[in-house]
Amino acid sequence: MKYDVAVLGAGMVGVCVAIHLLQQGRSVLLMDRNDAGEETSYGNAGLLQQEAVRPYEFPHEPSVLLPAAFNLRLDVRYHLTALPKLIQPLWSYFRHCSPRRYESIAQEYGHIINMTLACHQELISAAGAEQLIRKVGWISLYRTAKGRHKGLRTLDAYTRQGVNFKVLNGDELAEIEPAIKGHHAGGVHWQDPWIAGHPGQLVKAYTNLFKQLGGVFVQGDAGSLKRSHQQSWQLRDHQDTLLEVDEIVIALGPWSAEITARFGYRPPMFFKRGYHMHYQYPAGQPRLTRAVQDSEKGYMMTPMDAGLRICTGAELGLRDTPSTPVQIDRAEAIARKLIPLGERLDAEPWRGARPCIPDMKPIIGPLPGAPGLWCAFGHGHQGFTMGPATGKLLAAMMTGQTTDIDMSGFRAERFKKP
Ligand SMILES: Cc1cc2nc3c(=O)[nH]c(=O)nc-3n(C[C@H](O)[C@H](O)[C@H](O)COP(=O)(O)OP(=O)(O)OC[C@H]3O[C@@H](n4cnc5c(N)ncnc54)[C@H](O)[C@@H]3O)c2cc1C
């Protein structure tokens, strides 16, 4: 069996790349070792973040860094044993967050983010997936006047990048989210983002669209990838069927560098692990209608179809070492005092890894020195949001068309050793 392109990885990014390539007239094989949308694109907070034009910054304030160094913060923790492998990418991340470098990165990042909702909407409409989306925005909640003041100070930069939001005082917050107990200093309602009530189902809906458009999904291991003698590529599915392909897109999220390393490309990917847990909605009590970030504490609550999902911030560690879900336990204890929260619904906290690149930008474009191989990975905190825009941009690059935005800052060469 012969295809023009195989996309490896059926998370949000891979599925969207595969659809856009089909729409450009390519025959496309999509391969994953599992079903589509079962990994990072399943476990996230479900936000389609039209507001996230400014990527997640490395903190510089001593008031944040000092407690973080002693693992005393809820929003970020690290594994001491992982430090030898983390120091280099974290140092590079820190350096990319100098004010001048960060500002220029935020402009590039914003260009992709600004494309995202329109790109999602096209797929949502084509897939008939409107019922999976709530167009309600999300809220950064501030408990104290000091926290609110600090949060509001960042808003000018968002305004300059065209983001819509409404600043809420404590009464307004209580009015729009009656589930929140107590009186708080207020918040910011990011009005444009959407919530997916079941992130994995949205990826599966897009995958069904891919199949309806004529794409072929198979289960198989990307590790089976080999150059064939005819200058094309070979893969094997789980039935050991041999598949011949002209071009390959690596969209394996946190696993991408395992495959690129075989072709001499080792991007400095590191992982911000994250956990989630679902909770029952207590009967007869108000529910959150939007996702709410308890900003001064550092966790996110999203009302999902299956229950309220609490997602944790970053756990800096190696991708595969065993779970240490202390952030979930601590977030749960805090959230129980903030909103009505029922029993845990999952046997164990889910764990995933945000695939992060030190300059905060995904890697999109040809893999240097390996003709026919393409990259679409490293989307860090916003891959669920950026999948469809990445698909559109990469499909344009692969078919020799002009891209909607300048892609030079996203290309893989930026990490290629001379
Ligand atoms: C706690 C948490 C909360 C988050 N919240 C948000 C949010 O609200 N909004 C947002 O935009 N982003 C969010 N993110 C980030 C987002 O989830 C990721 O950036 C995004 O899901 C990455 O998508 P992906 O397709 O690159 O990777 P994945 O979804 O992980 O897909 C990679 C695929 O590759 C497959 N694969 C791996 N190895 C192989 C192999 N050898 N052979 C075949 N297949 C293989 C896997 O099975 C998987 O399906 C969050 C992340 C976390 C952890």
Side-chain angles (χ1 to χ4, degrees):
M1 273 177 254
K2 182 96 168 63
Y3 298 87
D4 293 332
V5 188
V7 178
L8 306 180
M12 180 56 96
V13 175
V15 172
C16 294
V17 170
I19 293 174
H20 278 280
L21 284 166
L22 271 184
Q23 289 174 335
Q24 294 299 330
R26 299 293 164 101
S27 61
V28 184
L29 176 80
L30 176 62
M31 177 180 275
D32 200 291
R33 61 185 170 198
N34 302 318
D35 251 346
E38 303 263 306
E39 293 283 356
T40 334
S41 299
Y42 154 75
N44 56 66
L47 305 179
L48 301 179
Q49 292 187 260
Q50 179 76 1
E51 91 299 342
V53 290
R54 301 181 70 73
Y56 200 91
E57 210 176 337
F58 195 106
H60 283 76
E61 310 93 317
S63 61
V64 176
L65 291 174
L66 204 62
F70 289 98
N71 256 345
L72 295 174
R73 290 185 65 91
L74 175 55
D75 56 346
V76 57
R77 284 178 59 80
Y78 66 95
H79 285 170
L80 199 57
T81 47
L83 270 190
K85 290 211 167 123
L86 283 171
I87 283 205
Q88 217 177 348
L90 287 183
W91 174 239
S92 173
Y93 180 21
F94 178 81
R95 291 182 55 230
H96 280 99
C97 289
S98 71
R100 190 182 51 80
R101 283 173 105 176
Y102 178 82
E103 213 42 60
S104 107
I105 288 168
Q107 296 307 315
E108 291 177 282
Y109 202 78
H111 289 144
I112 291 205
I113 290 285
N114 285 335
M115 294 174 63
T116 54
L117 284 194
C119 291
H120 268 290
Q121 185 60 65
E122 273 176 31
L123 300 187
I124 289 165
S125 302
E130 291 286 356
Q131 77 289 354
L132 295 174
I133 299 294
R134 270 171 275 143
K135 299 182 175 176
V136 291
W138 65 275
I139 293 174
S140 300
L141 175 149
Y142 296 107
R143 290 169 177 256
T144 66
K146 190 175 162 201
R148 181 169 183 266
H149 178 70
K150 193 174 162 203
L152 300 194
R153 269 200 330 239
T154 64
L155 292 180
D156 281 351
Y158 285 92
T159 305
R160 282 197 298 276
Q161 287 189 251
V163 175
N164 291 317
F165 54 82
K166 181 175 185 320
V167 176
L168 307 171
N169 64 31
D171 293 339
E172 289 164 334
L173 176 68
E175 196 180 320
I176 68 167
E177 287 298 343
I180 296 174
K181 301 182 214 169
H183 195 269
H184 303 279
V188 174
H189 180 196
W190 306 99
Q191 294 161 307
D192 292 338
W194 300 342
I195 302 177
H198 192 317
Q201 286 301 338
L202 186 64
V203 181
K204 288 183 197 301
Y206 290 178
T207 307
N208 287 337
L209 171 66
F210 166 75
K211 291 182 199 164
Q212 280 161 22
L213 294 172
V216 175
F217 175 79
V218 292
Q219 289 196 326
D221 188 343
S224 65
L225 179 66
K226 275 195 198 135
R227 253 270 183 234
S228 81
H229 51 279
Q230 300 146 317
Q231 287 306 301
S232 62
W233 300 90
Q234 285 184 348
L235 288 159
R236 286 190 182 271
D237 69 11
H238 278 348
Q239 268 79 48
D240 209 29
T241 311
L242 184 64
L243 304 152
E244 288 278 343
V245 188
D246 288 338
E247 292 183 284
I248 300 285
V249 177
I250 300 167
L252 295 163
W255 296 272
S256 299
E258 282 172 14
I259 299 297
T260 66
R262 284 176 36 195
F263 302 94
Y265 182 64
R266 292 180 178 75
M269 186 183 281
F270 67 102
F271 304 106
K272 293 188 185 174
R273 299 171 14 144
Y275 299 85
H276 83 222
M277 172 58 70
H278 290 100
Y279 299 85
Q280 261 174 357
Y281 296 114
Q285 301 204 45
R287 295 180 180 188
L288 289 182
T289 56
R290 300 166 186 81
V292 173
Q293 182 188 43
D294 193 350
S295 305
E296 287 165 78
K297 302 290 182 187
Y299 65 94
M300 178 69 83
M301 299 170 284
T302 308
M304 296 278 179
D305 299 345
L308 186 106
R309 181 182 283 191
I310 292 186
C311 282
T312 62
E315 182 183 64
L316 295 161
L318 304 184
R319 190 189 60 207
D320 297 329
T321 49
S323 294
T324 51
V326 281
Q327 285 159 296
I328 273 288
D329 297 341
R330 289 180 52 204
E332 174 184 329
I334 296 167
R336 283 198 183 284
K337 294 185 188 141
L338 189 67
I339 55 162
L341 203 59
E343 293 301 307
R344 284 187 172 202
L345 293 172
D346 307 317
E348 297 293 334
W350 172 89
R351 189 191 82 232
R354 300 172 183 90
C356 295
I357 305 294
D359 67 2
M360 296 160 278
K361 294 179 293 181
I363 296 178
I364 304 171
L367 194 148
L373 280 190
W374 297 82
C375 304
F377 55 80
H379 291 73
H381 285 259
Q382 267 94 37
F384 190 63
T385 302
M386 286 198 268
T390 299
K392 186 172 186 203
L393 293 162
L394 185 65
M397 292 169 97
M398 291 177 68
T399 53
Q401 296 173 58
T402 310
T403 48
D404 291 357
I405 62 170
D406 175 12
M407 293 304 289
S408 52
F410 296 93
R411 294 171 79 96
E413 289 92 67
R414 68 195 201 269
F415 297 115
K416 181 78 181 159
K417 287 201 181 109

Coordinates of all heavy atoms in Angstrom, one line a residue, residues 9-14 31-35 37-49 220-223 251-255 272-275 311-312 350 352-355 376-377 379-386, ligand 1:
G9 N 1.4 9.9 14.8 CA 0.9 10.5 16.0 C -0.5 11.1 15.7 O -0.6 12.0 14.9
A10 N -1.5 10.6 16.4 CA -2.9 11.0 16.2 C -3.4 11.8 17.5 O -4.4 11.5 18.0 CB -3.8 9.9 15.9
G11 N -2.5 12.7 18.0 CA -3.0 13.7 19.0 C -3.7 14.8 18.2 O -3.8 14.8 17.0
M12 N -4.0 15.9 18.9 CA -4.6 17.1 18.2 C -3.7 17.5 17.1 O -4.3 17.8 16.0 CB -4.8 18.2 19.2 CG -5.5 19.4 18.6 SD -7.1 19.0 17.8 CE -8.3 19.4 19.1
V13 N -2.4 17.6 17.2 CA -1.6 18.1 16.2 C -1.6 17.2 15.0 O -1.8 17.7 13.8 CB -0.1 18.4 16.8 CG1 0.8 18.8 15.6 CG2 -0.2 19.4 17.9
G14 N -1.3 15.9 15.2 CA -1.2 15.0 14.0 C -2.5 14.9 13.3 O -2.4 14.9 12.0
M31 N -1.0 7.4 11.6 CA -0.6 6.2 12.4 C -0.5 6.6 13.9 O 0.2 7.6 14.2 CB 0.7 5.6 11.9 CG 1.1 4.4 12.7 SD 2.7 3.7 12.1 CE 2.1 2.5 10.9
D32 N -1.0 5.8 14.7 CA -0.8 5.9 16.2 C -0.7 4.5 16.8 O -1.4 3.6 16.3 CB -1.9 6.7 16.8 CG -1.5 7.3 18.2 OD1 -1.3 6.6 19.1 OD2 -1.4 8.6 18.2
R33 N 0.0 4.4 17.9 CA 0.0 3.1 18.5 C -1.2 2.8 19.3 O -1.6 1.7 19.6 CB 1.3 2.9 19.4 CG 1.3 3.9 20.6 CD 2.6 3.8 21.3 NE 2.8 4.9 22.2 CZ 3.9 5.3 22.8 NH1 5.0 4.6 22.5 NH2 3.9 6.3 23.6
N34 N -2.0 3.9 19.6 CA -3.3 3.7 20.3 C -4.4 4.2 19.4 O -4.1 4.5 18.2 CB -3.3 4.6 21.6 CG -2.2 4.3 22.5 OD1 -1.9 3.1 22.8 ND2 -1.6 5.3 23.1
D35 N -5.6 4.4 19.9 CA -6.6 5.2 19.2 C -6.2 6.6 19.2 O -5.4 7.1 20.0 CB -7.9 5.0 20.0 CG -8.9 4.1 19.2 OD1 -8.6 3.9 18.0 OD2 -9.9 3.7 19.8
G37 N -6.3 10.6 20.0 CA -6.7 11.5 21.1 C -6.7 10.8 22.5 O -7.6 11.1 23.3
E38 N -5.7 9.9 22.7 CA -5.8 9.2 24.0 C -4.7 9.7 25.0 O -4.6 9.2 26.1 CB -5.6 7.7 23.8 CG -6.6 7.1 22.8 CD -7.8 6.4 23.6 OE1 -7.5 5.6 24.4 OE2 -8.9 6.8 23.3
E39 N -3.8 10.5 24.5 CA -2.6 10.9 25.4 C -2.8 12.4 25.8 O -3.8 12.7 26.4 CB -1.3 10.6 24.6 CG -1.1 9.2 24.3 CD -0.6 8.4 25.5 OE1 -0.3 9.0 26.6 OE2 -0.4 7.2 25.4
T40 N -1.7 13.2 25.5 CA -1.7 14.6 26.0 C -3.0 15.3 25.6 O -3.5 16.1 26.3 CB -0.5 15.3 25.6 OG1 0.6 14.4 25.3 CG2 0.0 16.3 26.6
S41 N -3.4 15.0 24.4 CA -4.6 15.7 23.8 C -5.9 15.3 24.5 O -6.9 15.9 24.2 CB -4.7 15.6 22.3 OG -3.5 16.1 21.7
Y42 N -5.8 14.2 25.2 CA -7.0 13.8 26.0 C -7.0 14.5 27.4 O -8.0 14.9 27.9 CB -7.0 12.3 26.2 CG -7.7 11.8 27.5 CD1 -9.1 11.8 27.5 CD2 -7.0 11.5 28.7 CE1 -9.8 11.4 28.7 CE2 -7.7 11.1 29.8 CZ -9.0 11.1 29.8 OH -9.7 10.8 31.0
G43 N -5.8 14.6 28.0 CA -5.8 14.9 29.5 C -5.7 16.3 29.8 O -5.6 16.7 31.0
N44 N -5.7 17.2 28.8 CA -5.4 18.6 29.1 C -6.6 19.3 29.7 O -7.7 18.7 30.0 CB -5.0 19.3 27.8 CG -6.0 19.2 26.7 OD1 -7.1 19.6 26.8 ND2 -5.6 18.4 25.7
A45 N -6.5 20.6 29.9 CA -7.6 21.4 30.6 C -8.7 21.8 29.6 O -9.7 22.4 30.0 CB -7.0 22.7 31.2
G46 N -8.6 21.4 28.3 CA -9.7 21.6 27.4 C -9.9 23.0 26.9 O -10.9 23.2 26.3
L47 N -8.9 23.8 27.1 CA -9.1 25.2 26.6 C -8.6 25.5 25.2 O -7.5 25.1 24.9 CB -8.4 26.2 27.6 CG -8.8 26.1 29.1 CD1 -8.0 27.1 29.9 CD2 -10.3 26.3 29.3
L48 N -9.4 26.1 24.4 CA -9.0 26.5 23.1 C -8.7 28.0 23.3 O -9.5 28.9 23.3 CB -10.0 26.3 22.0 CG -10.4 24.8 21.9 CD1 -11.5 24.6 20.8 CD2 -9.2 24.0 21.5
Q49 N -7.3 28.3 23.5 CA -6.9 29.5 24.1 C -6.6 30.6 23.2 O -5.4 31.0 23.0 CB -5.7 29.2 25.0 CG -6.0 28.3 26.2 CD -4.8 28.2 27.1 OE1 -4.1 27.2 27.0 NE2 -4.6 29.2 27.9
G220 N -0.2 1.4 14.7 CA 1.2 0.9 14.5 C 2.2 1.7 15.2 O 1.9 2.8 15.8
D221 N 3.4 1.2 15.3 CA 4.5 1.8 16.0 C 5.3 2.7 15.1 O 5.9 2.2 14.1 CB 5.3 0.8 16.7 CG 6.3 1.4 17.7 OD1 6.6 2.6 17.6 OD2 6.8 0.6 18.5
A222 N 5.5 4.0 15.4 CA 6.3 4.9 14.6 C 7.8 4.4 14.6 O 8.5 4.7 13.7 CB 6.2 6.3 15.2
G223 N 8.1 3.6 15.6 CA 9.5 3.0 15.6 C 9.8 2.1 14.4 O 10.9 1.8 14.1
A251 N 4.6 13.9 14.4 CA 3.7 14.6 15.3 C 3.4 13.8 16.5 O 2.2 13.6 16.9 CB 2.4 15.0 14.5
L252 N 4.5 13.4 17.1 CA 4.4 12.4 18.3 C 4.4 13.1 19.6 O 4.7 12.5 20.6 CB 5.5 11.4 18.2 CG 5.4 10.5 16.9 CD1 6.8 9.8 16.6 CD2 4.3 9.4 17.1
G253 N 4.1 14.4 19.6 CA 4.0 15.1 20.9 C 5.3 14.9 21.7 O 6.4 15.0 21.2
P254 N 5.1 14.5 23.0 CA 6.3 14.3 23.9 C 7.2 13.2 23.4 O 8.3 13.0 24.0 CB 5.6 13.9 25.2 CG 4.2 14.1 25.1 CD 3.8 14.2 23.7
W255 N 6.8 12.3 22.5 CA 7.6 11.2 22.0 C 8.4 11.5 20.7 O 9.1 10.7 20.2 CB 6.8 10.0 21.8 CG 6.2 9.5 23.1 CD1 6.7 8.6 24.0 CD2 4.9 9.9 23.6 NE1 5.8 8.4 25.1 CE2 4.7 9.2 24.9 CE3 3.9 10.7 23.2 CZ2 3.6 9.3 25.7 CZ3 2.7 10.8 24.0 CH2 2.6 10.2 25.2
K272 N 7.1 19.5 30.9 CA 6.3 20.0 32.1 C 5.2 19.0 32.3 O 4.2 19.1 31.6 CB 5.8 21.4 31.9 CG 6.9 22.4 31.7 CD 6.2 23.8 31.7 CE 7.2 24.9 31.4 NZ 6.6 26.2 31.2
R273 N 5.4 18.1 33.2 CA 4.4 17.1 33.4 C 3.2 17.7 34.1 O 3.3 18.7 34.8 CB 4.9 15.9 34.3 CG 6.1 15.3 33.6 CD 6.9 14.3 34.4 NE 6.4 13.8 35.7 CZ 6.6 12.5 36.1 NH1 7.2 11.6 35.3 NH2 6.2 12.1 37.3
G274 N 2.0 17.1 33.9 CA 0.8 17.7 34.5 C -0.2 16.5 34.8 O -0.1 15.5 34.2
Y275 N -1.0 16.8 35.8 CA -2.0 15.7 36.3 C -3.4 16.3 36.2 O -3.6 17.5 36.2 CB -1.7 15.4 37.8 CG -0.3 14.8 38.0 CD1 0.8 15.7 38.2 CD2 -0.1 13.5 38.0 CE1 2.0 15.2 38.5 CE2 1.2 12.9 38.3 CZ 2.2 13.8 38.5 OH 3.5 13.3 38.7
C311 N -6.8 20.4 36.8 CA -5.5 20.1 36.2 C -4.4 20.9 36.9 O -4.7 22.0 37.4 CB -5.5 20.7 34.7 SG -6.4 19.7 33.6
T312 N -3.3 20.3 37.1 CA -2.2 20.9 37.8 C -1.3 21.7 36.9 O -1.3 21.5 35.6 CB -1.4 19.8 38.5 OG1 -0.8 19.0 37.6 CG2 -2.2 19.0 39.5
W350 N -4.6 11.1 36.4 CA -4.0 11.0 35.0 C -2.8 11.8 35.0 O -2.7 12.9 35.6 CB -5.0 11.5 34.0 CG -4.5 11.6 32.6 CD1 -4.5 10.6 31.6 CD2 -3.8 12.7 32.0 NE1 -3.8 11.1 30.5 CE2 -3.4 12.4 30.7 CE3 -3.5 14.0 32.5 CZ2 -2.7 13.2 29.8 CZ3 -2.8 14.9 31.6 CH2 -2.4 14.5 30.3
G352 N 0.3 13.4 32.2 CA 0.8 13.6 30.9 C 2.0 14.5 30.9 O 2.4 15.0 32.0
A353 N 2.6 14.8 29.8 CA 3.8 15.7 29.7 C 3.6 16.7 28.6 O 3.4 16.3 27.4 CB 5.0 14.8 29.5
R354 N 3.7 18.0 29.0 CA 3.7 19.0 27.9 C 5.0 19.0 27.2 O 6.0 19.2 27.9 CB 3.4 20.4 28.6 CG 2.1 20.5 29.4 CD 2.1 21.9 30.1 NE 0.9 22.1 30.9 CZ 0.8 21.7 32.2 NH1 1.8 21.0 32.8 NH2 -0.3 21.9 32.9
P355 N 5.0 18.8 25.9 CA 6.3 18.8 25.2 C 6.8 20.2 25.0 O 6.3 20.9 24.1 CB 5.9 18.1 23.9 CG 4.4 18.3 23.7 CD 3.8 18.7 25.0
A376 N 6.2 18.5 13.4 CA 5.1 19.2 13.9 C 4.9 18.8 15.4 O 4.1 18.0 15.7 CB 3.8 18.9 13.1
F377 N 5.8 19.4 16.2 CA 5.7 19.0 17.7 C 6.3 20.1 18.5 O 6.9 21.1 18.0 CB 6.5 17.7 17.9 CG 7.9 17.6 17.4 CD1 8.9 18.2 18.1 CD2 8.2 17.1 16.1 CE1 10.2 18.2 17.7 CE2 9.5 17.1 15.7 CZ 10.5 17.6 16.4
H379 N 4.6 21.7 21.2 CA 3.6 22.7 21.4 C 3.3 23.1 22.8 O 2.4 23.9 23.1 CB 2.3 22.3 20.7 CG 2.3 22.3 19.2 ND1 3.0 21.3 18.5 CD2 1.9 23.2 18.3 CE1 2.9 21.6 17.2 NE2 2.2 22.7 17.0
G380 N 4.1 22.5 23.8 CA 4.1 22.9 25.2 C 2.7 23.1 25.8 O 1.9 22.1 25.8
H381 N 2.4 24.3 26.3 CA 1.2 24.5 27.0 C 0.0 24.6 26.1 O -1.2 24.7 26.6 CB 1.3 25.8 27.8 CG 2.2 25.7 29.0 ND1 1.7 25.6 30.3 CD2 3.5 25.7 29.2 CE1 2.6 25.5 31.2 NE2 3.8 25.6 30.5
Q382 N 0.2 24.8 24.8 CA -1.0 25.2 23.9 C -1.2 24.3 22.7 O -1.8 24.8 21.7 CB -0.9 26.6 23.5 CG -1.6 27.6 24.5 CD -0.7 28.2 25.5 OE1 0.5 28.5 25.3 NE2 -1.2 28.3 26.7
G383 N -0.8 23.0 22.8 CA -0.9 22.2 21.6 C -2.4 21.9 21.2 O -2.7 21.7 20.0
F384 N -3.2 21.8 22.2 CA -4.6 21.5 22.0 C -5.3 22.7 21.2 O -6.0 22.5 20.3 CB -5.3 21.3 23.3 CG -6.7 20.7 23.2 CD1 -7.0 19.5 22.6 CD2 -7.8 21.5 23.6 CE1 -8.3 19.0 22.5 CE2 -9.1 21.0 23.5 CZ -9.3 19.7 22.9
T385 N -4.8 23.8 21.5 CA -5.3 25.0 20.8 C -4.7 25.1 19.4 O -5.4 25.4 18.5 CB -4.8 26.3 21.6 OG1 -5.4 26.2 23.0 CG2 -5.3 27.6 21.0
M386 N -3.4 24.9 19.3 CA -2.7 25.2 18.1 C -2.7 24.1 17.0 O -2.2 24.4 15.9 CB -1.2 25.5 18.4 CG -1.0 26.9 19.1 SD 0.7 27.4 19.0 CE 1.4 26.8 20.4
Ligands
LIG1 C1 -2.3 19.1 32.5 C2 -2.2 19.7 31.1 C3 -3.1 20.7 30.7 C4 -3.1 21.3 29.5 N1 -4.1 22.2 29.1 C5 -4.1 22.7 27.8 C6 -5.2 23.5 27.4 O1 -6.1 23.8 28.2 N2 -5.1 24.0 26.2 C7 -4.1 23.7 25.3 O2 -4.1 24.2 24.2 N3 -3.2 22.8 25.6 C8 -3.1 22.3 26.9 N4 -2.1 21.4 27.3 C9 -1.1 21.1 26.3 C10 -1.6 20.1 25.2 O3 -2.4 19.1 25.8 C11 -0.5 19.5 24.4 O4 0.4 20.6 23.9 C12 -1.0 18.8 23.2 O5 -2.0 17.9 23.5 C13 0.1 18.1 22.4 O6 -0.6 17.5 21.3 P1 0.2 16.5 20.4 O7 -0.7 16.0 19.3 O8 1.5 17.1 20.0 O9 0.6 15.3 21.4 P2 -0.2 14.1 21.9 O10 -1.6 14.4 22.1 O11 0.5 13.5 23.0 O12 -0.2 13.0 20.7 C14 1.0 12.3 20.4 C15 0.5 10.9 19.9 O13 1.6 10.2 19.5 C16 1.3 8.8 19.8 N5 2.6 8.1 19.9 C17 3.6 8.2 20.7 N6 4.6 7.4 20.5 C18 4.2 6.6 19.4 C19 4.8 5.6 18.7 N7 6.1 5.1 18.9 N8 4.1 5.1 17.6 C20 2.9 5.5 17.3 N9 2.3 6.5 18.0 C21 2.9 7.1 19.0 C22 0.6 8.9 21.1 O14 -0.2 7.7 21.3 C23 -0.3 10.1 20.9 O15 -1.6 9.8 20.4 C24 -2.1 20.8 28.5 C25 -1.3 19.8 28.8 C26 -1.3 19.2 30.1 C27 -0.4 18.1 30.4

